[in-house]
Amino acid sequence: MAQTGATVSLTIDGRTIELPKFTTSNDPAGRPVSRPSTIYDAALQLGITIPTLCHREYMNPVAVCRVCVVELGPGRLWPACQRAIEDGMKVATHHTSKRVEASVRVLSELLLADHPAPCEKHRRHGDCELEVLGERFGVREPRF
């Protein structure tokens, strides 16, 4: 097992960050939860937004929805919420990679294909995470 005090240096969208290999956050009851730091955690520290639907910082990531996809090196797509950080990692998000942006758009479109639009939550409050994501990535009407 890695030391909890170990740090990792990586680059996201051309910006370098160094952070602990493990992160601790509180669950809804206020209890501390420790887990490996992820690409998503590193992006948050840099102020880089990565969309998520199924992830909460205090939970072990499951990467079910995949809208947090990022590109590692040239060509490999990974879920940012689940992929643990490694020293020297080079990551591109939807902000800098057309491939990632297109992937998030298609994933949003697929998820919205079986979603009432606008749903009750979005009609009442305008904050349905899925519909907001679709709007953000220009999905007007799903093709599927």
Side-chain angles (χ1 to χ4, degrees):
M1 180 172 207
Q3 296 176 340
T4 56
T7 60
V8 173
S9 178
L10 68 151
T11 303
I12 303 177
D13 291 344
R15 297 170 57 194
T16 301
I17 185 170
E18 187 171 305
L19 70 160
K21 193 159 180 77
F22 290 87
T23 188
T24 302
S25 57
N26 292 332
D27 70 10
R31 296 178 299 249
V33 178
S34 183
R35 62 172 172 70
S37 295
T38 63
I39 294 169
Y40 180 80
D41 298 324
L44 277 179
Q45 293 292 317
L46 286 169
I48 297 171
T49 57
I50 294 178
T52 60
L53 292 174
C54 68
H55 178 64
R56 298 295 175 254
E57 289 77 10
Y58 57 87
M59 299 171 69
N60 284 329
V62 293
V64 175
C65 71
R66 293 292 210 242
V67 298
C68 66
V69 67
V70 294
E71 189 171 11
L72 295 182
R76 297 288 317 247
L77 296 178
W78 291 89
C81 75
Q82 188 180 44
R83 184 65 160 85
I85 57 174
E86 295 176 10
D87 215 32
M89 196 178 252
K90 295 197 182 329
V91 179
T93 71
H94 70 280
H95 298 288
T96 60
S97 168
K98 293 291 183 195
R99 182 174 183 215
V100 172
E101 181 183 16
S103 295
V104 175
R105 185 177 300 110
V106 169
L107 286 165
S108 302
E109 196 172 6
L110 285 166
L111 291 168
L112 283 163
D114 195 33
H115 180 82
C119 69
E120 186 65 26
K121 181 179 181 183
H122 205 61
R123 267 196 305 274
R124 287 184 182 208
H125 308 289
D127 66 350
C128 169
E129 290 175 289
L130 180 56
E131 291 185 49
V132 169
L133 180 69
E135 291 166 5
R136 182 172 164 197
F137 284 89
V139 178
R140 305 281 182 248
E141 289 194 29
R143 295 171 286 169
F144 308 109

